Amino acid sequence: TLVIVGGVFAFSKLSGGGVQPEELLPADTIAFAKLDLNPSFGQKIEFVRFISHFPSTFKNFDSNDPIGSVLHKFTQTSTLNWDEIKPWIGNRFAIAGVQGVNGVTPVLILGISDELQMKYYFAKHQPTFKYVIKQGYAIIADTQATLDIVAASPKHLNSNATYNSDIAALGGSQVAILWGDLKPLLNAAGSRIDSLTANHGLGSITNAIRNTNGRIVLGFHFSSNSLAATFLTRGTGTLNNALFTSGATDLGNLPAETLASLSIAGLGDYLSKSIGTNTAVRDALDLVGISADQLKALLSGPLTIVILPSTAKGG
């Protein structure tokens, strides 16, 4: 019995269970980013294997405390004192955009392992912070009104079917995710984003986004030899026609020693449309004797950037 109980406890420590930040946020949250340093068992193992490839970077890496080792490394050169943070910090963190009376406001969620130590740290270093403690997290916002909205929400982001579908599309466990609902994000940005995109000839894209229910989702996961990022657009419909698409270049025909390659189709059309409404860029091209049509012709096919090793030793 003791062996079974011990095995269940050990597995629970490795399986990445527990409350997730999205279980604390309103269901109509429009933007969300999370770092999960207590992911699934498989991701923990891959994380340790990946970090082990960089012994010179993580000289004091401790496989028994991989998260602490990494955080300590990146706080050595900052104003944060890891020795003061370590007693209370948890291993899941998130930031979200929550809709309130005065528009969208940011909410920060920090996992905590010791509430008393955390309160002491905040009282000492961040006495103006407004926060509440809930289910092992410190929920921090700029106003008490925002905290009240989060606390009063009857349904939460983890019950939002659209959000769940978008995250599931990434496939497998992720150590970090970023998700955003484009239409309300653009509406929240208001005239500022409209003037910015119009000045750069991108007004057609922002208008297209406003006519969709599109979202973006980005996920990161480890393998023993890599950190992989997966970026998806969801529910954008015809919006894809306004964005870059992957090129038709046969990358398999590139030299075997190719180190990296990026192929983009439709770049000429995109730049031509942008240049056509951007006076500053058009004037700059006129100075060197290049017209928008010439630039479009030059870039009409897929543009492929290829990185090859040089013939010089080590180049």
Side-chain angles (χ1 to χ4, degrees), residues 190-240:
S191 59
R192 288 173 296 177
I193 191 70
D194 289 336
S195 61
L196 178 64
T197 55
N199 290 339
H200 291 82
L202 303 176
S204 60
I205 291 181
T206 55
N207 291 333
I209 291 174
R210 281 197 170 91
N211 293 322
T212 73
N213 292 314
R215 292 91 56 202
I216 56 170
V217 58
L218 175 66
F220 294 88
H221 66 273
F222 285 99
S223 73
S224 58
N225 295 307
S226 65
L227 171 61
T230 304
F231 176 77
L232 303 172
T233 59
R234 302 274 292 170
T236 54
T238 57
L239 175 62
N240 290 325

Side-chain angles (χ1 to χ4, degrees), residues 28-307:
D28 60 355
T29 296
I30 66 171
F32 177 72
K34 177 179 72 171
L35 176 63
D36 187 353
L37 296 178
N38 184 29
S40 66
F41 170 73
Q43 277 297 286
K44 286 182 182 177
I45 297 299
E46 298 292 14
F47 174 66
V48 172
R49 289 174 175 169
F50 177 79
I51 292 297
S52 68
H53 290 294
F54 307 95
S56 60
T57 303
F58 301 98
K59 295 180 180 179
N60 299 316
F61 179 72
D62 181 1
S63 60
N64 293 319
D65 182 23
I67 297 167
S69 298
V70 174
L71 290 181
H72 183 263
K73 173 68 178 179
F74 288 105
T75 56
Q76 286 177 331
T77 56
S78 72
T79 57
L80 296 174
N81 186 334
W82 173 246
D83 291 332
E84 291 185 323
I85 296 174
K86 186 175 182 179
W88 62 267
I89 196 72
N91 43 37
R92 287 182 179 136
F93 321 97
I95 186 169
V98 173
Q99 299 186 83
V101 176
N102 298 317
V104 178
T105 58
V107 173
L108 181 64
I109 300 180
L110 297 179
I112 57 176
S113 58
D114 189 315
E115 183 176 335
L116 293 178
Q117 291 276 8
M118 186 226 72
K119 288 181 176 179
Y120 175 72
Y121 178 86
F122 277 12
K124 184 178 179 181
H125 297 284
Q126 302 292 345
T128 61
F129 271 13
K130 297 185 183 298
Y131 66 89
V132 294
I133 306 296
K134 187 175 181 180
Q135 294 183 271
Y137 288 92
I139 305 174
I140 306 168
D142 56 350
T143 65
Q144 185 60 46
T146 301
L147 290 177
D148 292 341
I149 290 173
V150 174
S153 58
K155 295 183 178 181
H156 300 97
L157 185 58
N158 68 313
S159 66
N160 182 322
T162 300
Y163 168 80
N164 289 333
S165 174
D166 292 344
I167 299 303
L170 292 171
S173 178
Q174 309 290 319
V175 296
I177 59 172
L178 184 150
W179 175 85
D181 194 346
L182 296 174
K183 184 187 291 185
L185 278 173
L186 276 181
N187 291 335
S191 59
R192 288 173 296 177
I193 191 70
D194 289 336
S195 61
L196 178 64
T197 55
N199 290 339
H200 291 82
L202 303 176
S204 60
I205 291 181
T206 55
N207 291 333
I209 291 174
R210 281 197 170 91
N211 293 322
T212 73
N213 292 314
R215 292 91 56 202
I216 56 170
V217 58
L218 175 66
F220 294 88
H221 66 273
F222 285 99
S223 73
S224 58
N225 295 307
S226 65
L227 171 61
T230 304
F231 176 77
L232 303 172
T233 59
R234 302 274 292 170
T236 54
T238 57
L239 175 62
N240 290 325
N241 296 329
L243 302 177
F244 292 147
T245 56
S246 58
T249 300
D250 185 357
L251 300 181
N253 288 332
L254 294 173
E257 64 270 24
T258 298
L259 300 177
S261 179
L262 172 67
S263 184
I264 302 175
L267 183 61
D269 289 337
Y270 178 81
L271 288 177
S272 296
K273 292 177 183 177
S274 301
I275 292 168
T277 57
N278 193 313
T279 305
V281 176
R282 194 168 59 246
D283 290 345
L285 288 175
D286 290 341
L287 289 175
V288 294
I290 300 176
S291 69
D293 288 339
Q294 289 172 327
L295 182 65
K296 180 178 179 179
L298 180 66
L299 300 174
S300 60
L303 171 67
T304 303
I305 301 170
V306 182
I307 301 176

